[in-house]
Amino acid sequence: MTASVLFTLGTRGSPLALEQANETRRLLAEAHGWEIERIALQVIRTSGDRIQDRPLAEAGGKGLFTKEIDAALLAGAIDAAVHSAKDLPSLSPEGVTIAAFLPREDVRDALVSVFADTIEGLPHGATFGAASLRRQAQALRLRPDLRPTLLRGNVETRLKKAEAGAVGATLLALAGLKRLGLSHRARAVLDLDRFLPAPGQGAIAITARSADARALQALEPISDAATSVALAAERAFLAELEGSCRTPIAGLARLEAGRLQLRGEVLRADGSERFDIAAESAPADAEWLGREAGRDLAARLPVGVLVKGG
């Protein structure tokens, strides 16, 4: 860090991560009247970026995208870190807190395929490329004949493989496509009734040191209240289920007519069964709503559906 730098943001190095970091940078500059050049970006390569040959669940879970960034944050090498909210583990490491959520983008999933514009229209036995068990289970629920295959890599890599026909189809977050200016490459946008998103999908989370008053104050003006309320419920729901990369879990909270509406679901990995819940509360009770919905749903799950750990 040089004397001219006012604030340093840590980020992964993928095009989407950098776009999210630059969005944060622009908002900080506008909020404080800082010259944008005085907000530095520090790219940090994570274990999740290095491991591409197996599912995250087999390599250590969601923390693979955050632990090196958390370490840099706790060491004081950066002032704050920018993350896709759905990549954050349910519990933050000691000394790290979520300081802000930026305004949420579109939460829906997008289908990418050269073979069909619906899951139902794919050829019998087509491969379905995904790293997300949630997307895999939701697709298998509609089409049990699909053959899941691992598809890792950044957005452009997965787009190219699907567009080349290397897999029959894949699903990507529409938010990421929009942020990268690539939404035109989606074959279709999927409805929320059948493809409820992962908790946090479409949201950008910014973490900081819990005791760093300067960073927390700097980030406060750019935090979006509606997104923060929704994510409080979704993350509490996920934490109550002890959600991991080994269990397909979906959840979405939204403010509607002054009430916070939460929908959640857990699926068997093969899509053969889905267990869902809907609940609502006052916005001020967002965390309570998520916890209660998680407890209620967990109590109804047959043994073996919820795979803990990872």
Side-chain angles (χ1 to χ4, degrees):
M1 184 180 295
T2 66
S4 64
V5 173
L6 293 172
F7 204 84
T8 301
L9 295 169
T11 176
R12 293 168 60 201
S14 72
L16 178 57
L18 291 171
E19 179 56 40
Q20 293 179 161
N22 276 310
E23 184 176 340
T24 305
R25 197 176 176 220
R26 287 191 295 270
L27 289 173
L28 274 173
E30 291 168 6
H32 299 290
W34 295 343
E35 295 177 7
I36 199 164
E37 295 79 11
R38 299 186 71 185
I39 305 171
L41 297 185
Q42 182 169 320
V43 173
I44 300 166
R45 194 164 188 230
T46 69
S47 299
D49 297 313
R50 289 193 294 270
I51 299 168
Q52 296 288 324
D53 61 344
R54 57 194 187 276
L56 289 177
E58 295 177 8
K62 282 187 177 182
L64 292 173
F65 284 126
T66 60
K67 65 179 182 179
E68 286 88 356
I69 297 176
D70 289 335
L73 186 58
L74 291 170
I78 56 177
D79 295 302
V82 184
H83 301 274
S84 293
K86 68 178 180 179
D87 287 341
L88 290 177
S90 300
L91 298 175
S92 298
E94 185 175 355
V96 174
T97 188
I98 300 174
F101 289 105
L102 301 192
R104 199 172 200 173
E105 244 294 358
D106 200 312
V107 301
R108 293 174 294 175
D109 280 324
L111 175 72
V112 182
S113 174
V114 294
F115 300 103
D117 55 11
T118 64
I119 295 291
E120 293 89 339
L122 290 169
H124 183 81
T127 54
F128 180 79
S132 161
L133 279 185
R134 188 250 330 159
R135 288 175 175 145
Q136 193 178 105
Q138 288 173 335
L140 287 170
R141 182 159 178 79
L142 294 179
R143 288 285 305 275
D145 61 290
L146 294 179
R147 294 184 293 117
T149 185
L150 179 65
L151 186 61
R152 293 281 312 278
N154 63 36
V155 171
E156 187 66 45
T157 296
R158 287 179 284 163
L159 273 173
K160 286 180 177 177
K161 286 182 178 178
E163 291 170 343
V167 293
T170 191
L171 299 184
L172 297 171
L174 184 58
L177 294 177
K178 284 187 171 184
R179 288 188 173 113
L180 290 169
L182 300 173
S183 57
H184 61 283
R185 291 169 69 176
R187 187 73 180 264
V189 177
L190 305 182
D191 67 86
L192 293 172
D193 288 335
R194 295 190 296 177
F195 287 87
L196 197 67
Q201 184 157 309
I204 296 171
I206 307 166
T207 59
R209 289 181 293 279
S210 307
D212 189 343
R214 173 183 173 269
L216 296 175
Q217 289 169 5
L219 294 166
E220 185 178 1
I222 69 172
S223 189
D224 182 70
T227 304
S228 298
V229 166
L231 268 289
E234 291 173 27
R235 286 179 57 78
F237 173 75
L238 190 64
E240 195 61 42
L241 290 165
E242 296 186 29
S244 73
C245 295
R246 297 177 184 273
T247 302
I249 298 174
L252 177 64
R254 284 179 160 175
L255 285 170
E256 296 182 15
R259 299 285 289 174
L260 185 62
Q261 311 279 347
L262 173 67
R263 292 172 53 202
E265 68 180 32
V266 174
L267 301 98
R268 288 196 184 274
D270 63 1
S272 60
E273 288 186 281
R274 178 176 71 97
F275 309 89
D276 61 358
I277 193 165
E280 67 173 74
S281 74
D285 297 324
E287 191 172 334
W288 171 87
L289 174 66
R291 284 199 310 267
E292 289 299 301
R295 287 172 187 163
D296 289 351
L297 185 54
R300 293 196 276 112
L301 296 177
V303 174
V305 172
L306 197 63
V307 182
K308 297 182 181 182

